[in-house]
Amino acid sequence: MKIKICGITRREDLLMGQRIGADLLGFINIERSPRNLELRKIRKLSDEAGEKAVLVLEPSDPQDVPAAVEKTGITRIQLHSVSASDLNRIKGILHDEGIMAEITVAVSPERDSFKDILELTRKSSGILLDSAIKGRTGGTGRRLRESAALKLLDEIRRRNPAVRVTLAGGLTPEFVKNRMAYVSRFDCLDFNSGIERAPGIKDHGRMIQLMDVIRNVRTDPVGNE
């Protein structure tokens, strides 16, 4: 199980993420997010993150994606609030421009139909399960209902076992500790507001606490129910 620390806005938080052994470090370029960063600043920070860097986008135009990739140099992309047709166009443009990208798409069982989600599953490298607000995925700080997340996880794995499935939405070290059997079902856990002092300001004590808990999840995936 991999760990992603998302919403990085400061170099000190980036360095702490690397120090504690986070697998992925997310940088958000979405205007509605309080953790939104300009692409120029993302480029500066992500140069230190290397292959761990993830560029989080909510494109209003498919052409925005290759432009953002070129400006940041990040080819691991997380897309929010896109349809299967949007994804097809984005992949086509990336291909035409010779950009090899790994794409994860955020979906929500609260917003998207199973049919739409499974279509996206067929066309992406990863699926991120998150809550939604006003029809847009992410940014709520609210956890999904476990029954809905597990139902969707099982269906995705039945259709395409190779797709990496990430759980996001209000995750905290305490929740992971108490729900080990649940969270260990996923390939990756995405943490943001649950390890912050304020939006975009990570709490280093909670980051360290998180990785202490994660070590137990990795060694004891059954946990407590």
Side-chain angles (χ1 to χ4, degrees), residues 140-154:
T140 70
R142 179 168 48 84
R143 287 191 291 271
L144 290 170
R145 285 185 297 110
E146 292 183 27
S147 58
L150 289 175
K151 182 178 180 181
L152 184 51
L153 172 67
D154 290 342

Side-chain angles (χ1 to χ4, degrees), residues 6-7 38 59 100 147:
C6 200
E38 296 179 355
M100 299 292 293
S147 58

